[in-house]
C-alpha cells in the first residue's frame, strides 16, 4: 500500500487507526472500517473510491463526527471529529448520499433557514448556482426528482463557500450536463474574503471518469481498509501493470497488488518508485477504472 502523508500544519483530512464495528444480531460483529490511517493536505481534491459496502459513507460520517468510531480517531483541519468546534462547522459543507432536505420546504425556504446559521451564507451565490444547475427553487423538496434534490443539496452545501467539502455520491443521479456544471461549481472562483484559502474536497463517487479529470489525490477502500492512497498524478506516472507467467514473489520490489487471471497468468501491480530499476515501459499505464478493476477483481 502506498501511504501519502501531508506536511505538518497543512492537513485537511486525517485518520489514525480508525475502526468502526457494529454488533451482529446474535453473535460477533460487523467490521465496517478497519485500522484506517491517512493524512491528506489542505487544497487537495480527493476521490474516495470503492465498491458498495467498502466503507466510504461510514468514513465520511466518522470524519464529520456524525458516527462515533469504535477505536482510533480522525480530524478535520486538525480539529478532532468528535469535538468539532462551531468555527470549524461553519467552514464545512456536506452532501449526503441520500439528500437530507426538509420535504415541506421549497428551495427558497431552505435558503432562508440555512442563511440564519452561517455568517458567510450568500443567497445570491446560492441562487446563481441554482440557476446554473436548473433547480426549481419554488417547489417543495419532496416534490422534486431525486436528481433535483441532489442538485439542491449541492447548492446548499456550497452557498457559504466552505473551506472543506465532503460529498457522498453527489452526482449519482445527475445527467452528464448536470455533472459538468457540478464540477465547474467545485472549482469556481471563491469569494473575495476567502480567496487566499485553499478549498479541500473529499468526494466519493463511482463515476471514475469524472473523478479522474478533477482529483489531485485518490484513496481506494476495500472491505473497510485503505488499499491505496496517493497523489493521482504520481500513481499514473509510477504504477504499472505487468503480466507474469507465475505468481509473483512476495518480496518482489514495489509489489502493490497481485491477482490470478487464469491459465497460469498473474497480474502484478508495481510501484516503480520502489521497483529497483524495473523499466517503466515494461508494464501498462492504468486509468482510474483499470486500477479500480485490478484492486477489486
Amino acid at each position: 500500500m502506498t501511504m501519502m502523508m501531508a506536511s505538518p500544519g497543512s492537513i485537511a483530512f486525517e485518520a489514525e487507526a480508525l475502526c468502526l464495528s457494529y454488533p451482529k444480531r446474535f453473535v460477533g460483529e460487523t467490521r465496517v472500517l478497519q485500522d484506517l490511517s491517512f493524512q491528506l493536505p489542505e487544497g487537495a481534491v480527493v476521490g474516495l473510491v470503492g465498491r458498495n459496502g467498502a466503507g466510504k459513507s461510514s468514513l465520511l460520517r466518522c470524519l464529520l463526527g456524525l458516527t462515533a468510531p469504535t477505536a482510533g480517531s480522525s480530524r478535520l483541519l486538525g480539529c478532532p471529529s468528535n469535538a468539532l468546534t462551531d468555527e470549524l462547522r461553519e467552514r464545512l459543507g456536506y452532501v449526503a448520499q441520500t439528500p437530507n432536505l426538509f420535504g415541506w420546504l421549497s428551495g427558497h425556504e431552505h435558503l432562508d433557514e440555512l442563511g440564519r446559521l452561517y455568517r458567510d451564507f450568500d443567497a445570491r451565490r446560492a441562487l446563481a448556482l441554482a440557476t446554473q444547475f436548473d433547480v426549481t427553487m419554488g417547489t417543495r423538496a419532496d416534490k422534486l426528482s431525486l436528481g433535483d434534490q441532489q442538485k439542491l443539496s449541492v447548492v446548499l452545501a456550497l452557498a457559504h463557500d466552505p473551506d472543506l467539502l465532503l460529498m457522498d455520491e453527489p452526482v449519482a443521479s445527475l445527467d452528464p450536463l448536470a455533472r459538468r456544471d457540478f464540477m465547474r461549481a467545485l472549482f469556481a472562483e471563491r469569494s473575495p474574503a476567502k480567496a487566499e484559502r485553499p478549498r479541500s474536497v473529499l468526494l466519493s463517487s463511482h463515476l471514475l471518469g469524472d473523478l479522474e479529470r478533477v482529483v489531485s489525490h485518490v484513496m481506494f477502500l476495500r472491505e473497510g481498509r485503505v488499499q491505496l492512497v496517493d497523489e493521482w498524478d504520481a500513481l499514473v506516472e509510477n504504477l504499472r501493470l505487468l503480466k507474469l507467467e507465475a505468481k509473483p514473489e512476495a518480496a518482489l520490489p514495489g509489489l502493490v497488488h497481485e491477482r490470478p487471471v487464469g491459465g497460469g497468468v498473474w497480474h502484478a501491480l508495481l510501484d516503480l518508485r520502489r521497483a529497483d530499476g524495473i523499466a517503466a515501459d515494461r508494464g501498462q499505464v492504468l486509468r482510474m477504472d483499470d486500477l479500480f478493476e485490478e484492486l477489486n477483481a
Side-chain angles (χ1 to χ4, degrees), residues 158-199:
L158 290 172
H160 61 293
D161 196 12
D163 295 330
L164 285 178
L165 266 175
L166 294 92
M167 314 184 98
D168 192 0
E169 297 288 350
V171 295
S173 298
L174 305 187
D175 60 49
L177 290 179
R179 297 204 308 270
R180 179 201 63 190
D181 290 339
F182 164 77
M183 294 299 178
R184 287 177 177 173
L186 283 186
F187 303 102
E189 184 176 349
R190 302 201 65 184
S191 63
K194 299 184 178 183
E196 300 300 319
R197 294 184 190 174
R199 172 179 287 160

Side-chain angles (χ1 to χ4, degrees), residues 98-111 135-153 156:
T98 301
N100 188 15
L101 301 169
F102 299 106
W104 62 92
L105 296 182
S106 69
H108 288 298
E109 290 166 336
H110 274 89
L111 294 186
V135 180
T136 305
M137 297 295 288
T139 301
R140 282 174 49 129
D142 58 5
K143 301 300 182 183
L144 296 173
S145 68
L146 179 57
D148 280 347
Q149 289 182 27
Q150 275 195 315
K151 288 189 284 187
L152 178 56
S153 297
L156 297 173

Side-chain angles (χ1 to χ4, degrees), residues 200-221:
S200 308
V201 181
L202 184 55
L203 173 62
S204 166
S205 179
H206 287 105
L207 299 170
L208 303 187
D210 288 350
L211 284 183
E212 189 170 8
R213 289 191 289 270
V214 300
V215 297
S216 62
H217 298 69
V218 64
M219 183 190 304
F220 289 87
L221 293 185

Side-chain angles (χ1 to χ4, degrees), residues 13-238:
F13 310 105
E14 179 179 13
E16 184 176 353
L18 189 69
C19 300
L20 178 65
S21 299
Y22 294 114
K24 291 183 179 179
R25 183 173 180 182
F26 296 108
V27 65
E29 62 182 14
T30 298
R31 296 181 179 180
V32 180
L33 301 176
Q34 304 186 57
D35 199 30
L36 268 66
S37 295
F38 58 84
Q39 293 179 340
L40 293 154
E42 283 190 75
V45 179
V46 185
L48 184 59
V49 179
R51 301 180 71 171
N52 290 338
K56 302 186 298 298
S57 296
S58 295
L59 173 57
L60 290 174
R61 291 183 60 83
C62 284
L63 286 168
L64 289 161
L66 299 174
T67 297
T70 308
S73 61
S74 60
R75 295 176 178 83
L76 295 177
L77 292 175
C79 186
S81 297
N82 62 357
L84 295 180
T85 63
D86 290 342
E87 179 183 4
L88 194 283
R89 291 178 189 276
E90 279 201 309
R91 300 174 65 186
L92 284 176
Y94 174 50
V95 178
Q97 186 172 20
T98 301
N100 188 15
L101 301 169
F102 299 106
W104 62 92
L105 296 182
S106 69
H108 288 298
E109 290 166 336
H110 274 89
L111 294 186
D112 291 340
E113 292 296 324
L114 291 183
R116 299 188 181 100
L117 302 178
Y118 295 96
R119 284 175 294 182
D120 295 328
F121 194 88
D122 188 339
R124 289 178 298 179
R125 174 187 177 86
L127 290 173
L129 286 170
T131 299
Q132 181 181 344
F133 292 162
D134 195 24
V135 180
T136 305
M137 297 295 288
T139 301
R140 282 174 49 129
D142 58 5
K143 301 300 182 183
L144 296 173
S145 68
L146 179 57
D148 280 347
Q149 289 182 27
Q150 275 195 315
K151 288 189 284 187
L152 178 56
S153 297
V154 171
V155 167
L156 297 173
L158 290 172
H160 61 293
D161 196 12
D163 295 330
L164 285 178
L165 266 175
L166 294 92
M167 314 184 98
D168 192 0
E169 297 288 350
V171 295
S173 298
L174 305 187
D175 60 49
L177 290 179
R179 297 204 308 270
R180 179 201 63 190
D181 290 339
F182 164 77
M183 294 299 178
R184 287 177 177 173
L186 283 186
F187 303 102
E189 184 176 349
R190 302 201 65 184
S191 63
K194 299 184 178 183
E196 300 300 319
R197 294 184 190 174
R199 172 179 287 160
S200 308
V201 181
L202 184 55
L203 173 62
S204 166
S205 179
H206 287 105
L207 299 170
L208 303 187
D210 288 350
L211 284 183
E212 189 170 8
R213 289 191 289 270
V214 300
V215 297
S216 62
H217 298 69
V218 64
M219 183 190 304
F220 289 87
L221 293 185
R222 181 171 180 175
E223 296 178 351
R225 297 182 184 274
V226 175
Q227 289 181 291
L228 197 64
V229 54
D230 207 338
E231 296 180 15
W232 175 238
D233 286 348
L235 293 179
V236 172
E237 181 177 354
N238 293 294

